[in-house]
């Protein structure tokens, strides 16, 4: 495997890590008013992701940075074409982070409700934008022979990209519910489990539609394999959740997501962005990659830096692995 192909696979892996880790904390934010009926219950929901949400966002930064370093042509064409949606994503992520930090600074219901609205809105906007941009990348953008966008910014919207936005949003909702079933106890756990079992199949429908659109329009014979694995794993996860096997259900959701990413990036191969105007104007992996020297340097940097990041993040999840419930939430103390 040459270095451009290797880094194409690495970037796919980074997006997988981001969608898996940030997906469930987006889901928790989206479920805040649905599963958290009282303030103490909403505090439980927020505390399940409190130690990890900011670390999860690092995967987005690394994915974007890897695209910039390994495939500057890919980065330039995608980020310039999707400039406004990505700006909206950035504002949503900033607002979400501020809301997590400021929610408990003033002990009034109105203050907390306002910041809860920010969390919920940003948690819905973020997966919609991520799904929109990634799906548009897979199915193609209106690029000319120079890799520049032709037309207005809203040309990023198409039936496949909208389906992709709904797919990431639906998966995040389901993923967040399964995560809460794994991380909480008592009534909140039961609500999360009931929500996942009741809404699981409807939430997976956009994902299924996205997979078949990708397979029938761009896929190869071998990409049927991850497609089937994705469907079987997702349904098996719901079956294990029904049996109260929360950890197994969460792991199976991860396998399903991995298979979805393999299917989509397999359909994208051998391009990094197809052109919807002329197939000859698509951006292939080899021609958009950085120089061999640059790829070699970032490979060595990744070889030393990645294990440290993974160990630290894994340790964080291990330390905060226990379930929490309302009994673990202390009363709010007004500032003196």
């Amino acid at each position: 495997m040459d270095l451009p192909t290797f880094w194409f696979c690495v970037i796919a892996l980074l997006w997988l890590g981001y969608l898996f880790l940030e997906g469930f904390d987006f889901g928790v934010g989206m479920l805040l008013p649905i599963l958290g009926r009282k303030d103490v219950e909403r505090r439980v929901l927020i505390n399940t992701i409190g130690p990890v949400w900011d670390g999860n966002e690092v995967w987005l930064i690394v994915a974007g940075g890897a695209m910039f370093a390994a495939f500057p042509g890919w980065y330039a064409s995608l980020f310039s074409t999707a400039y406004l949606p990505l700006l909206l994503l950035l504002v949503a992520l900033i607002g979400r982070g501020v809301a997590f930090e400021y929610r408990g600074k003033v002990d009034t219901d109105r203050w907390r409700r306002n910041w809860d609205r920010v969390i919920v809105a940003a948690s819905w906007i973020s997966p919609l934008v991520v799904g929109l941009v990634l799906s548009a990348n897979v199915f193609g953008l209106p690029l000319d022979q120079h890799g520049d966008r032709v037309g207005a910014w809203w040309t990023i919207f198409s039936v496949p990209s909208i389906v992709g936005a709904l797919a990431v949003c639906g998966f995040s909702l389901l993923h967040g519910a399964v995560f809460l079933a794994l991380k909480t106890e008592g009534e909140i756990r039961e609500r999360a489990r009931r929500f996942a079992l009741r809404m699981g199949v409807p939430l997976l429908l956009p994902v299924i539609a996205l997979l078949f659109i990708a397979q029938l329009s761009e896929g190869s014979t071998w990409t049927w394999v991850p497609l089937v694995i994705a469907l079987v794993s997702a349904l098996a996860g719901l079956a294990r959740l029904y049996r109260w096997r929360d950890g197994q259900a969460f792991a199976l959701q991860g396998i399903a997501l991995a298979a979805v990413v393999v299917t989509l990036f397999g359909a994208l191969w051998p391009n990094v962005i197809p052109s919807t105007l002329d197939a000859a104007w698509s951006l292939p992996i080899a021609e958009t990659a950085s120089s061999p020297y640059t790829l070699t340097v970032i490979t060595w940097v990744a070889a030393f830096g990645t294990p440290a990041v993974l160990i630290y993040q894994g340790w964080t999840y291990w330390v905060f692995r226990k379930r929490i419930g309302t009994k673990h939430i202390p009363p709010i103390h007004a500032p003196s």
Side-chain angles (χ1 to χ4, degrees), residues 6 23 43 47 63 71 90 93 104 110 124 134 137-138 149 201 209 212 233 248 296:
F6 171 76
R43 291 175 64 197
N47 283 7
F71 298 96
L90 181 61
L93 292 177
R110 181 179 179 181
W124 279 92
L134 288 182
N137 189 139
V138 170
R149 183 190 72 207
V201 173
F212 277 98
S233 299
Q248 295 177 16
T296 301

Side-chain angles (χ1 to χ4, degrees), residues 18-36 45-46 48-49 53 56 96 100 119-128 168-181 192 195 203 250:
Y18 178 70
L19 292 171
F20 179 75
L21 296 174
E22 190 84 315
F24 68 73
D25 66 45
F26 283 153
V28 171
M30 296 157 78
L31 291 167
L32 198 63
I34 300 173
L35 302 183
L45 267 62
I46 292 172
T48 61
I49 60 173
W53 68 266
N56 294 343
R96 190 167 172 268
F100 283 139
I119 293 172
V120 173
S123 297
W124 279 92
I125 292 170
S126 299
L128 284 171
V168 174
C169 206
F171 174 81
S172 297
L173 264 172
L174 177 59
H175 198 36
V178 175
F179 174 77
L180 289 171
F195 178 89
L203 291 174
F250 188 69

Side-chain angles (χ1 to χ4, degrees), residues 246-269:
D246 309 328
Q248 295 177 16
F250 188 69
L252 285 164
Q253 293 293 332
I255 294 172
L257 178 62
V260 169
V261 171
V262 171
T263 303
L264 295 179
F265 274 80
L268 180 60
W269 174 272

Side-chain angles (χ1 to χ4, degrees), residues 36 53 70 82 97 105 108 115 117 135 190 202 211 245 258-259 275 303 321:
W53 68 266
K105 298 298 184 183
T108 66
W115 286 114
R117 293 187 184 102
S135 300
E190 293 177 9
L211 286 173
R245 303 295 184 182
S275 173
R321 66 189 182 278

Side-chain angles (χ1 to χ4, degrees), residues 174 196-197 200-201 204 233-243 249 253:
L174 177 59
L197 291 174
V201 173
L204 288 173
S233 299
L235 295 176
L238 293 177
R240 297 314 294 163
L241 186 66
Y242 180 78
R243 297 288 184 181
Q253 293 293 332

Side-chain angles (χ1 to χ4, degrees), residues 69-110:
F71 298 96
W74 184 6
Y75 176 91
S77 294
L78 177 62
F79 278 62
S80 61
T81 301
Y83 178 81
L84 287 178
L86 290 174
L87 178 61
L88 177 62
L89 172 64
L90 181 61
V91 171
L93 292 177
I94 292 173
R96 190 167 172 268
V98 171
F100 283 139
E101 298 297 331
Y102 275 65
R103 184 185 186 276
K105 298 298 184 183
V106 177
D107 184 18
T108 66
D109 291 337
R110 181 179 179 181

